[in-house]
Amino acid sequence: MTNDLETRLQTLVDQSPTGAPADLDHVLARGRTIRRRRHAAMAFAGAACVAGVATLAVAFASPAPRPPVVTEPPSSSEGPSSPPTPTPDTITLSDVRLPLGLIDDQGLHPNELADVPAIDGPVDRAYSDGDGGLVYQRADQPQRIYWLRGGETLEYDVWPGPTTLLGVVGWEGVRHIVFGAAIPGAEVPSQAIQFYRVATDNDEPLTAGTTFQTISTDLEVEIADGIAVTDDGRLVVSSCHLLCSTHTVPLDHPVIATGDVSADGPLGDPRPTWGLDGTTDGRMFSLAAVTSGQDLEQLTLEQVTAEGHTLDSIEIPMVDAIDGAGLQVTGDGSAAIIELRDGGETTRWLLVQDLDQPAPRIREITDVAGLLVVLGP
Amino acid sequence: MKAAVSATQAHSNETFARFYTGERDQLVRALSVMLRDPDLAAEATDEAMARAYARWGTVSAYANPAGWVYRVAANWAISRLRRRRFRGTGALPENRVTDPEPSDGSLWAAVAALPPEQRAVVVLRYGLDWPLRWVAEAVDAPLGTVKSRLSRAVANLRTRVEVDS
C-alpha cells in the first residue's frame, strides 16, 4: 500500500462523524443495569434450583415455536416495562446422563459415560469420532490434529499451516474428519474445507494421501461454526462473521459460492443462525435468533432441511443477553447441548433432552461455569 | 472491608472513565466507516462500552480492551441492522449511505464497496493504526486470515481509487 492511501484512510476515519456525543454517565448507568440484571438472573437460577420451579414443557411438534412454560416469573432489575423472561429449569452435571467431555485449562476430562481417557494440556476443540474415540486439536498446536482411539493417540500435521478442526461427519457409512484452513498464498478463493476419509474399520491412516476432497470457497471457513452432511450427500456449512449464512453444496462440487446460499427459511433469511449439527440419519438442527432493540429477543432450536426450511421448532428460554450460541446434537437426535455466549464468553450451558419426542425438556447445567462441554457420541 | 471495596470500585470507575474518554470517539469513527451510519455507530459503541463496564475487571485485563469493545459493538450493530431489514425498515451495511458525505468521497465510496470483513480489517489496521494482532483479536479471525483480507482489501481499493504515487 502506498503511504498516500494509508494516510487517506487514516484521515477518512479521523474525519468521520461521531454521531451522538459521548455520555459517560449514561454508559455507566447502562453498565450497572447490565451487571444487576446478570446478578439477578444468576440469583434466580440458584433459587429456582432450591425451590424446584416446575419443569418447563415445550412441544416439538409444530413449526411455530411454542414458548416454554414456567410457573414463576424471574426477578428482574429492568423495571416494570420488562417482559417476564422464561427461565430454564436446572440440572447438575452429575445428573446429565450423556457422555460428555469437559475442557478446562488443564485439559479434557470425560465423565463416567464417555468412553475416552482424560487428555492433559490446552485442548481447543474436540469431537467424537463416532466409534468411541476422540478427534481433537490443542490450542498450542494449531497445525496438528490428534486422534485418540483404542488407547493410542495419533498425531497428524494435515496442513502446512494453522487449521481449524470443524468436526467429524459421516455419510455412506464412512466417517470423515473435516477441517478448514487458509490456502497459503492464494487470492480468491483463499480458504478450503478439507475432508480426510476415515474408514469405519480405521484401516486408513489420516495422512495427506487420504484427502477425500478439498472444497475451495470464498467463505471465511475458519470461523465456520457448524457442518452437516445430508443423507443424499450434500454438505451444509454454517459460517458467521459479521453476516451469518449457511451454504449447501453437493459434496462432489468443487466450490462453495454465493449462489449456493439457501434461499428461504431460517438458514436463508436475515435472522442470525448459530451452530449447525446433524444426526447420523441425516437430520439437521440449527439455532435461529430474532433480535429486539438491544438484545436478542428469541432463540429457537430448529430442525431444518438443507434448503433452509423449518420442520420443527422449539423456543429456548432466555435469561440474559447473548450475542452468540453453539449447538451440539447427539448422533441419534435425542438430545442436544446449547452453549450461550456473550462478549465472546460462555454464559450458560443448556441441555435439551427428548429432542425426538413431542415434549422436549430444556434445563440449564448449573455447575459447568468456565468449562467447555463436548458432547460424546 | 467496605472501605476497601469502595476504593476498588472507585479505581475501577476511574480507569474505565479514562478508557472511555480516550477510546470512544475513535471507535465510533471506525464503526461509522464500517457501518456507514454514525448514529448507529455511536449507539453501538456506547452499548458495548456499557457491557465492558459491567465486566470491567475482565475486559480491562485484555491486551486491547478496545478490540473487545469493537467486536461487541459490531455484532450488536449488525444484529440491529438485521432486524431493520427483517422488518423492512433498513438495510444491511452493504447498502447504507451516510449523511453528510465525507470530503474524500472517492475513497469513502471505495471503502464502502468492500465486503464487510475486508472493510473491518482495513479500517482497524489503517484507520486506527492497530497492529495486525489486535485486528485479528477484534475480528475474531486468525492472523493469516487478517493478512489475506487486508491484502485483498488493498488490492480492491487500488483498483477503485486514484492514488498519487
Side-chain angles (χ1 to χ4, degrees), chain A residues 125 137 141-145 158-165 179-182:
Chain A
R125 289 163 172 259
Q137 204 168 18
Q141 295 284 350
Q143 82 287 357
R144 187 164 296 173
I145 287 175
V158 293
W159 192 257
T163 64
T164 300
L165 181 63
F179 64 90

Side-chain angles (χ1 to χ4, degrees), chain A residues 20-45:
Chain A
D23 187 345
L24 177 61
D25 290 339
H26 169 76
V27 168
L28 292 176
R30 169 75 179 142
R32 291 188 193 101
T33 299
I34 293 170
R35 195 157 49 198
R36 278 199 305 271
R37 187 175 60 179
R38 182 173 288 120
H39 290 164
M42 286 191 293
F44 176 76

Side-chain angles (χ1 to χ4, degrees), chain A residues 223-227 236-246 266-278 284-292 294-304 316-318 320-329 336-345 347 350, chain B residues 51 71-72 74-80 82 140:
Chain A
I223 47 84
D225 65 349
I227 55 170
V236 185
V237 179
S238 165
S239 69
C240 188
H241 174 63
L242 299 179
L243 298 171
C244 300
S245 60
T246 298
L267 300 184
D269 71 20
R271 281 189 294 168
T273 56
W274 291 311
L276 178 73
D277 204 0
M284 288 187 296
F285 295 85
S286 183
L287 296 164
V290 173
T291 55
S292 66
Q294 293 189 330
D295 291 321
L296 183 139
E297 190 172 68
Q298 185 186 65
L299 185 69
T300 53
L301 171 58
E302 310 199 347
Q303 184 182 348
V304 296
I316 303 302
M318 300 293 299
D320 41 18
I322 67 169
D323 60 15
L327 174 67
Q328 302 171 71
V329 179
I337 296 282
I338 296 173
E339 176 190 11
L340 304 181
R341 308 186 197 107
D342 188 37
E345 298 174 5
T347 56
L350 303 180
Chain B
R51 294 185 187 195
R71 195 163 80 192
V72 173
N75 286 337
W76 184 89
I78 287 162
S79 294
R80 189 71 171 271
R82 280 199 194 97
D140 196 20

